[in-house]
Amino acid sequence: MENAFDYTLEKAGLDDLDTVLYLLKDASKWLKTKGLQQWDYYLTDMEGNLKEISDSIKKGSTYLLFIENRAVGTLTLENSPNEWDCELWGSDADEDVCMYLHRLVVDREWRGKGLGDICLDWAESYCQENGYEKIRFDCLHSNKRLNQYYQRRFPLKETVHIHGVHNKYEKIVAEPRKSGD
């Protein structure tokens, strides 16, 4: 899908933390109005989640999507699994050929304009360009609409019952590395 926006995706810095937090909280509030508890911890326990978010920024793994100099989205793309990924993916989390996508959010004012696709396209390209074979992420099973959106382009790998019910997605984005590469 061709987009009609001039945009940039840039690494977030610690000075962008408030912007990232705003986008996450705003998405959480909207999800709550839809009867979904996805990300409700950003409303009830932001302090408990702040370290993970700021650590991702410090590692250079969090990005902001800008249109007309305004941050309208964010995503985190980690090159190693965090504690949640290890629990969710089990022994598969040991693979060093995967990147893990977290906290993909688009500002509600920009909903339906293809910005999620822009972020996902960019994440896939980033993985390919940096030698990763797969991209992985998860979504609450109860968020039917978001799962339908993801399943248009990502294979559903598995549904698991860990701290609720989650759908795991994994897509091969590059050919496997050859031995000795």
Side-chain angles (χ1 to χ4, degrees):
M1 172 170 86
E2 194 66 33
N3 67 71
F5 302 106
D6 286 327
Y7 67 89
T8 59
L9 260 149
E10 301 173 14
K11 280 187 182 181
L14 282 177
D15 54 332
D16 297 310
L17 179 62
D18 286 342
T19 301
V20 171
L21 295 177
Y22 168 79
L23 289 165
L24 292 170
K25 287 178 188 175
D26 193 54
S28 302
K29 289 176 190 173
W30 180 80
L31 287 165
K32 190 173 185 173
T33 68
K34 301 295 180 194
L36 298 168
Q37 282 138 4
Q38 186 167 337
W39 290 356
D40 60 348
Y41 44 83
Y42 291 136
L43 300 174
T44 60
D45 185 24
M46 183 54 88
E47 284 302 311
N49 290 280
L50 193 56
K51 181 175 178 358
E52 180 181 5
I53 296 165
S54 61
D55 284 352
S56 291
I57 291 173
K58 288 176 193 172
K59 287 190 294 188
S61 301
T62 298
Y63 296 83
L64 286 167
L65 173 66
F66 288 94
I67 295 178
E68 299 171 4
N69 296 318
R70 178 178 170 210
V72 296
T74 185
L75 65 95
T76 297
L77 198 55
E78 301 278 358
N79 63 1
S80 61
N82 63 23
E83 186 177 321
W84 169 249
D85 296 321
C86 288
E87 190 169 356
L88 193 67
W89 292 91
S91 61
D92 288 346
D94 292 338
E95 296 179 21
D96 65 352
V97 295
C98 301
M99 292 206 83
Y100 294 86
L101 177 67
H102 295 283
R103 297 186 292 278
L104 171 60
V105 159
V106 172
D107 187 310
R108 299 316 313 152
E109 289 180 36
W110 288 82
R111 179 177 176 253
K113 297 185 181 351
L115 302 188
D117 287 330
I118 287 171
C119 290
L120 291 170
D121 289 344
W122 179 86
E124 286 185 51
S125 293
Y126 183 91
C127 290
Q128 291 168 343
E129 292 165 10
N130 288 280
Y132 292 90
E133 295 171 16
K134 302 174 187 176
I135 186 168
R136 291 179 172 163
F137 61 95
D138 68 279
C139 180
L140 270 178
H141 180 75
S142 60
N143 192 336
K144 301 294 185 204
R145 210 162 164 198
L146 186 55
N147 280 287
Q148 288 171 348
Y149 170 74
Y150 286 142
Q151 288 173 25
R152 287 185 312 163
R153 61 187 289 161
F154 292 97
L156 174 63
K157 181 160 179 90
E158 180 181 18
T159 299
V160 295
H161 296 260
I162 298 174
H163 304 293
V165 183
H166 293 83
N167 288 343
K168 295 175 12 180
Y169 293 91
E170 177 182 87
K171 183 176 184 180
I172 297 172
V173 295
E175 290 299 316
R177 299 176 192 162
K178 294 183 176 118
S179 300
D181 284 356

